Amino acid sequence: MDINFKKKTIVIYSLLVLSPLFWKGGADEAFSQKIESPEMRFAKLITPEDAKKHLSVLASDEYEGRETCMKGQKKAAKYIAENFKNIGLQPANNKNYFQKFPVMISAPDSVTMKAGKNKYQNFKDFYVSPYGRDLKLETKSILFLGYGISPQIEGTDTFNQYDDYKNADVKNKIVLVLGGEPMSEDSVSLITGTKELSDWATNFQMKTNLAKSKGASAILIVNANFDGSIKALRRFQESPAMKIEKGSPSRNMSADKENKEERKKIPQIGITIQTANDILASKNITVENLKKKISTTKQSLSFEIKSPLEMEIINKEDTVSSENILGMIEGTKFKDEVIFITAHYDHLGIRDGKVFNGADDDGSGTVGVMEIANAFARAKEAGFAPKRTIVFMTVSGEEKGLLGSYYYTANPIFPIANTVCDLNIDMIGRFDDNHKKDSAYVYLIGSDKISTELHQINETANATYTKLKLDYKYNDLSDPNRFYYRSDHYNFAKKGVPIIFYFNGVHDDYHKETDEISKIKFDLLAKRAQLVFYTAWELANRKNRIVSDVTEKEDAPQEK
Ligand SMILES: [Zn+2]
């Protein structure tokens, strides 16, 4: 605060006390303004109205769902950078608000299949479930294996020990199985022993995993709902897989884990009944006959089909680019110590002709960061610049596997060692089913994992000012939702930077085209953003930088 400002305040206050206004209620206002702390004064600038103003732009159809590398994302980037400039943030990447990063897009370029003398057409006669690698398959014979079901794996007991794998040697073979599950003639499932179906009936992945565990090299599944599956698959493939570079994580998996998963994968090929009948022709049998046979004998059926099969997938890779947006307010006393406030501004784009606007995910966090930035900028203008530097960063590529934050932490603009913490906001505009009656809450994840001081500062800020219910339900690292690993703060945490993840939990509109602005609770959004603001204010202005005192490292629970 500069001296002139103080003097002026005293003069105005004295005049007020002496004036008749003092006795007409003017005094209360003047008094409360005097005791109000600066952080309270500027937290008030984070308003539901302002948040709505920005979100009405970013979550509108014009922004096309902000998919990474696409037009809508670029447009959103421009909007955010312009806002950072207008409110008075300095560009944080030298003279630039953008940190550009390369993105590798890979998509199948050609997928071909030949069986017997016939050539088949991708998406018409067959499809391959997302595989992510090039593939070349060649075989002289295919093994038919009933429905591809076995009680030999845990939790899949069959009612009468029906087992397609009983005497089969599938090692290195391509197997052909029927979709669904065997039924008796009176419509009783041979798997459950009732009219109800088991998971095997619809879960092709279970059949694929089983074939893989038995050593098969690929699985062909006769899909009676071929057209429905194609539709879902097309929707998925409209959104291409993206990576920063070879070996970098994608879709929220660590690189190691993903590589392991990918190596384990075998191709799952869905085929039409017609394609299956072609393949079975040399045996003079049809899908219909086979079903009947199993149904009457109640026994599995397996045989070798001496028919050659060739299949090839060639992927095409392209390198494009995306950008993180960084604005900052330089610290007055410890300018090398940097506090990050982050949110991802990308979302899922357009699928099946529908715009996924991602108002909550993570439009809410993005406008939260913009609002917090504005409050700090106004504070600076009034003489309350933070002692430590604050960087406001909105990242892209989150929905593709935390790409933007991965790139930033691998190529940091401010040394990681000087990065005090990351306060990450991902979805703060809604409430979930657990909080229908007490929506004034926020889930906190990770606050105590690296620095106990950070956890305490956030607790105190909330107890003093925002008084939300702090819910730590998802803070347990073994929680099956694995939220700790699923947003951008995780890339900071991996580098040892203390983090807090602010989150409202998932709801029915999560990752759907119905995640719309009309459903956002702006008063809740503003309140939660204020909590982040108060926490950041303390972190930026306290005497000592918070320390990282939690030493035991817990890794992501590994699946076998
Ligand atoms: Zn998100």
Side-chain angles (χ1 to χ4, degrees):
M1 183 200 281
D2 69 63
I3 292 168
N4 279 335
F5 182 81
K6 246 184 201 162
K7 263 189 198 153
K8 258 185 251 162
T9 314
I10 293 165
V11 172
I12 292 166
Y13 189 66
S14 319
L15 285 174
L16 259 176
V17 173
L18 297 175
S19 85
L21 261 177
F22 183 86
W23 307 108
K24 286 184 186 167
D28 278 356
E29 208 180 291
F31 185 68
S32 72
Q33 266 172 22
K34 272 219 84 78
I35 61 153
E36 188 180 61
S37 65
E39 58 266 50
M40 282 168 84
R41 194 173 132 201
F42 297 105
K44 276 187 192 161
L45 302 178
I46 299 171
T47 66
E49 295 74 26
D50 257 16
K52 189 171 184 177
K53 191 184 81 190
H54 292 308
L55 197 60
S56 306
V57 177
L58 290 170
S60 68
D61 284 358
E62 260 176 75
Y63 282 69
E64 299 183 356
R66 310 184 301 277
E67 184 171 9
T68 302
C69 298
M70 309 293 167
K71 208 172 95 198
Q73 178 251 299
K74 306 283 172 190
K75 223 171 152 177
K78 203 167 156 231
Y79 181 84
I80 297 162
E82 255 161 35
N83 174 261
F84 280 2
K85 192 176 173 201
N86 291 341
I87 62 177
L89 299 189
Q90 283 170 256
N93 189 12
N94 294 317
K95 291 190 166 99
N96 209 324
Y97 288 102
F98 299 106
Q99 182 190 40
K100 209 168 168 172
F101 60 87
V103 177
M104 276 170 51
I105 296 190
S106 88
D109 189 32
S110 112
V111 183
T112 54
M113 184 169 108
K114 249 162 88 180
K117 288 183 199 108
N118 300 320
K119 265 191 181 168
Y120 292 99
Q121 217 179 317
N122 189 22
F123 284 127
K124 187 172 162 275
D125 309 308
F126 76 98
Y127 63 83
V128 189
S129 287
Y131 186 62
R133 280 182 292 166
D134 288 354
L135 172 77
K136 199 169 167 109
L137 276 179
E138 236 181 307
T139 182
K140 293 209 157 51
S141 77
I142 299 165
L143 182 66
F144 176 78
L145 210 56
Y147 284 85
I149 294 173
S150 173
Q152 294 174 34
I153 46 172
E154 216 183 310
T156 58
D157 253 9
T158 59
F159 145 77
N160 61 356
Q161 292 297 297
Y162 175 93
D163 189 353
D164 291 312
Y165 282 82
K166 203 189 267 165
N167 301 309
D169 175 18
V170 301
K171 209 151 194 83
N172 300 321
K173 290 193 180 135
I174 295 175
V175 297
L176 166 64
V177 305
L178 302 169
E181 66 189 34
M183 311 290 288
S184 73
E185 283 166 316
D186 47 355
S187 301
V188 169
S189 160
L190 299 186
I191 305 300
T192 63
T194 69
K195 299 222 167 186
E196 232 164 88
L197 298 177
S198 74
D199 289 345
W200 290 107
T202 49
N203 192 336
F204 285 7
Q205 198 54 47
M206 259 169 82
K207 294 188 177 187
T208 307
N209 293 345
L210 175 60
K212 181 191 77 189
S213 74
K214 296 287 182 183
S217 57
I219 184 167
L220 301 167
I221 304 180
V222 184
N223 189 346
N225 177 33
F226 190 85
D227 291 341
S229 298
I230 287 294
K231 217 176 156 199
L233 198 63
R234 274 195 194 281
R235 205 176 308 150
F236 185 86
Q237 291 196 334
E238 271 180 33
S239 159
M242 295 184 184
K243 284 184 181 194
I244 298 259
E245 60 207 21
K246 275 203 166 45
S248 72
S250 74
R251 298 209 193 263
N252 305 336
M253 280 188 187
S254 71
D256 280 358
K257 189 175 169 197
E258 187 188 41
N259 288 341
K260 261 185 232 152
E261 300 271 318
E262 285 212 339
R263 261 181 272 126
K264 281 193 299 193
K265 243 177 168 179
I266 63 166
Q268 174 189 308
I269 303 148
I271 58 175
T272 60
I273 293 172
Q274 184 55 55
T275 307
N277 284 341
D278 286 354
I279 293 171
L280 290 162
S282 64
K283 286 291 213 183
N284 272 325
I285 202 160
T286 65
V287 167
E288 201 50 44
N289 298 152
L290 286 168
K291 281 187 173 173
K292 240 181 223 156
K293 223 166 182 175
I294 295 171
S295 173
T296 40
T297 61
K298 300 188 179 168
Q299 291 296 318
S300 170
L301 189 60
S302 166
F303 52 83
E304 196 90 23
I305 311 160
K306 296 257 181 263
S307 172
L309 181 100
E310 279 172 43
M311 165 152 233
E312 191 168 34
I313 304 176
I314 302 168
N315 286 289
K316 167 179 82 182
E317 263 168 12
D318 230 348
T319 301
V320 289
S321 70
S322 188
E323 40 278 303
N324 298 326
I325 300 136
L326 298 95
M328 69 169 180
I329 297 176
E330 214 163 61
T332 51
K333 198 165 174 195
F334 313 106
K335 90 173 175 46
D336 291 339
E337 298 177 11
V338 185
I339 288 146
F340 269 76
I341 303 178
T342 57
H344 72 89
Y345 69 98
D346 66 303
H347 193 58
L348 301 173
I350 301 175
R351 295 182 180 188
D352 222 10
K354 293 178 195 116
V355 185
F356 285 54
N357 280 319
D360 194 27
D361 186 11
D362 184 23
S364 64
T366 302
V367 302
V369 170
M370 290 162 81
E371 284 296 284
I372 297 162
N374 179 54
F376 273 108
R378 301 289 67 77
K380 181 192 166 179
E381 202 174 49
F384 296 96
K387 292 198 175 98
R388 293 186 177 78
T389 296
I390 308 178
V391 173
F392 304 91
M393 176 166 80
T394 63
V395 300
S396 66
E398 196 272 354
E399 303 287 7
K400 305 290 182 185
L402 315 184
L403 302 185
S405 53
Y406 174 87
Y407 186 83
Y408 177 81
T409 52
N411 304 274
I413 295 164
F414 304 89
I416 293 290
N418 294 353
T419 304
V420 176
C421 64
D422 172 39
L423 307 179
N424 182 49
I425 315 173
D426 194 351
M427 296 167 67
I428 54 163
R430 301 278 298 266
F431 53 84
D432 68 1
D433 283 350
N434 299 329
H435 296 86
K436 280 185 169 156
K437 287 192 183 113
D438 60 331
S439 63
Y441 75 101
V442 65
Y443 289 115
L444 295 179
I445 301 171
S447 61
D448 60 350
K449 300 286 181 256
I450 298 167
S451 165
T452 42
E453 271 179 311
L454 177 60
H455 175 79
Q456 200 46 54
I457 287 166
N458 183 73
E459 282 267 334
T460 306
N462 183 60
T464 314
Y465 303 110
T466 41
K467 300 182 169 59
L468 290 160
K469 187 184 163 229
L470 304 182
D471 193 330
Y472 293 99
K473 178 181 161 70
Y474 297 126
N475 192 40
D476 183 352
L477 292 183
S478 58
D479 183 90
N481 293 292
R482 304 177 77 254
F483 288 129
Y484 180 68
Y485 309 97
R486 287 174 54 185
S487 187
D488 297 297
H489 57 275
Y490 181 56
N491 282 320
F492 284 87
K494 273 199 303 198
K495 301 258 172 179
V497 176
I499 63 98
I500 304 179
F501 171 21
Y502 298 85
F503 177 48
N504 54 221
V506 294
H507 41 72
D508 289 346
D509 302 306
Y510 174 67
H511 281 198
K512 299 210 181 93
E513 71 268 24
T514 49
D515 181 2
E516 291 281 14
I517 189 165
S518 57
K519 295 175 180 168
I520 297 293
K521 307 283 174 233
F522 283 99
D523 46 347
L524 256 181
L525 191 164
K527 182 66 88 185
R528 288 163 176 160
Q530 283 176 354
L531 172 58
V532 182
F533 170 82
Y534 282 119
T535 303
W537 183 283
E538 171 62 19
L539 287 161
N541 290 304
R542 71 203 312 265
K543 198 164 151 233
N544 297 312
R545 173 182 170 171
I546 54 162
V547 292
S548 305
D549 57 343
V550 184
T551 46
E552 67 182 279
K553 278 272 164 286
E554 290 165 274
D555 286 325
Q558 292 287 318
E559 279 153 44
K560 271 176 228 151

